[in-house]
């Protein structure tokens, strides 16, 4: 066994990456269990809420890798590491193993925990949490994440926006990191678990927020930002495993 075990909520795919910088790219997801945050609107509570802890399996790197290989048919692709907060798991050995076989790794995190192995990633997406989440962003930690990633992965920022205060927060993020591509993503209202498979998100609300966001950034002549919906949410709602 190489390294410690990783707490896994689910492994699924291939599907397409539905969000941000890699939108549309075929990918296999490894979703880790456990998060140091609890956002009011988290759409992945099954990987956050300790009520689901019994569904998080401690897996060896080898077992995870077998599953990724099976799902991808052994053909290298980008593995998306999400959660929960994947940054609290010992992921370095998994990334090292996958790289030896030509796979790439994109990791999604809120930027609250920085790891030395961020530099080994191919893509790092930091998604600082706006006021509507109820969480407080520690920008020093986001800085640490970016410092540890320097010279390594492509980095992008992604901010979920539900309302005007969230939009102002996103503008601050853009001003703080003018060199880093910034993606704005309208929030969705997901019904809480155990509803999953067919649970309907408020698609009309998502579309309204998307329209509003486009109007907002164009009226502000904010021409550096990118506005994208969650493509997988438009296609499948909050269904798991896609
Ligand atoms: C479930 S999180 C897991 C990774 C990490 N904990 C994070 O928040 O970046 C993956 C992405 O989904 C976004 N997200 C979570 N709930 C959402 C919602 N209700 N609407 C839109 N995006 C959401 C997060 O902001 C993050 O960018
Ligand atoms: N297709 C697809 N794209 C995604 N992008 C981010 C996701 C996530 O939940 O982290 C996600 C997800 O769950 N599915
Ligand atoms: S940080 Fe990410 S996984 Fe954790 S509660 Fe917030 S959106 Fe959910
Ligand atoms: Mg999701």
């Amino acid at each position: 066994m190489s390294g410690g075990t990783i707490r896994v909520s689910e492994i699924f795919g291939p599907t397409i990456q539905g969000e941000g910088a890699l939108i549309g790219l075929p990918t296999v997801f490894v979703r880790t269990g456990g998060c140091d945050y609890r956002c009011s609107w988290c759409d992945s509570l099954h990987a956050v809420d300790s009520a689901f802890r019994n569904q998080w399996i401690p897996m060896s790197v080898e077992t995870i890798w077998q599953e990724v290989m099976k799902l991808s048919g052994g053909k290298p692709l980008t593995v998306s590491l999400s959660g929960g907060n994947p940054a609290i798991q010992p992921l370095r050995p998994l990334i090292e193993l996958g790289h030896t076989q030509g796979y790439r790794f994109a990791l999604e995190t809120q930027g609250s925990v920085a790891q030395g192995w961020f530099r080994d990633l191919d893509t790092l997406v930091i998604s600082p949490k706006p006021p509507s989440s109820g969480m407080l962003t520690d920008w020093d930690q986001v800085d640490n994440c970016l410092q540890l990633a320097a010279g390594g992965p492509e980095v992008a920022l992604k901010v979920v926006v539900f309302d005007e205060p969230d939009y102002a927060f996103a503008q601050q993020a853009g001003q703080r990191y003018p060199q880093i591509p910034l993606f704005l993503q309208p929030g969705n209202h997901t019904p809480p678990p155990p509803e999953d498979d067919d649970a309907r998100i408020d698609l009309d609300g998502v579309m309204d927020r998307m329209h509003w966001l486009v109007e907002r950034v164009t009226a502000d002549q904010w021409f550096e930002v990118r506005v994208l919906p969650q493509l997988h949410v438009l296609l499948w709602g909050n269904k798991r495993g896609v």
Side-chain angles (χ1 to χ4, degrees):
M1 281 237 315
S2 46
T5 58
I6 295 162
R7 252 188 336 188
V8 174
S9 160
E10 53 185 352
I11 303 177
F12 63 89
T15 179
I16 51 167
Q17 170 55 254
E19 304 179 11
L22 300 181
I23 192 164
L25 187 71
T27 185
V28 165
F29 276 85
V30 177
R31 188 187 302 284
T32 61
C35 191
D36 47 321
Y37 276 21
R38 200 201 160 97
C39 302
S40 62
W41 37 249
C42 178
D43 64 6
S44 303
L45 272 181
H46 61 289
V48 172
D49 192 332
S50 55
F52 296 84
R53 219 188 170 84
N54 59 348
Q55 298 175 14
W56 307 339
I57 315 289
M59 288 173 77
S60 69
V61 165
E62 286 76 14
T63 311
I64 295 171
W65 194 248
Q66 269 173 18
E67 187 62 20
V68 170
M69 288 288 277
K70 192 171 98 190
L71 292 172
S72 59
K75 184 162 182 208
L77 85 180
T78 294
V79 176
S80 295
L81 304 168
S82 188
N85 186 1
I88 61 179
Q89 301 295 325
L91 291 173
R92 189 199 296 271
L94 180 70
I95 297 165
E96 280 175 357
L97 175 60
H99 275 162
T100 66
Q101 319 224 359
Y103 284 68
R104 297 168 66 80
F105 290 85
L107 179 128
E108 181 118 2
T109 182
Q110 61 266 38
S112 56
V113 175
Q115 297 283 7
W117 48 260
F118 281 1
R119 204 174 179 287
D120 300 337
L121 293 161
D122 298 280
T123 306
L124 173 65
V125 179
I126 299 182
S127 183
K129 294 298 172 271
S132 67
S133 70
M135 299 293 118
L136 205 60
T137 291
D138 180 348
W139 291 106
D140 290 341
Q141 277 306 322
V142 176
D143 288 347
N144 285 340
C145 291
L146 293 169
Q147 264 158 33
L148 289 173
E154 298 214 31
V155 177
L157 291 167
K158 183 171 66 183
V159 177
V160 173
V161 179
F162 274 91
D163 53 24
E164 199 63 56
D166 289 355
Y167 180 79
F169 174 93
Q171 285 182 306
Q172 286 162 18
Q175 280 154 18
R176 187 176 175 99
Y177 305 110
Q179 309 306 331
I180 304 179
L182 171 59
F183 293 78
L184 305 188
Q185 164 169 308
N188 73 73
H189 285 299
T190 288
E195 279 190 78
D196 46 35
D197 274 6
D198 295 311
R200 298 278 145 212
I201 44 116
D202 63 326
L203 205 49
D204 291 347
V206 170
M207 287 305 190
D208 285 349
R209 285 186 283 280
M210 183 72 198
H211 279 120
W212 167 72
L213 266 174
V214 172
E215 275 162 24
R216 207 68 185 72
V217 302
T218 53
D220 283 342
Q221 298 185 304
W222 190 3
F223 297 149
E224 298 77 26
V225 78
R226 276 170 265 192
V227 184
L228 279 180
Q230 293 171 289
L231 186 50
H232 57 110
V233 168
L234 299 188
L235 292 170
W236 298 297
N238 75 335
K239 189 176 160 159
R240 277 195 219 172
V242 287

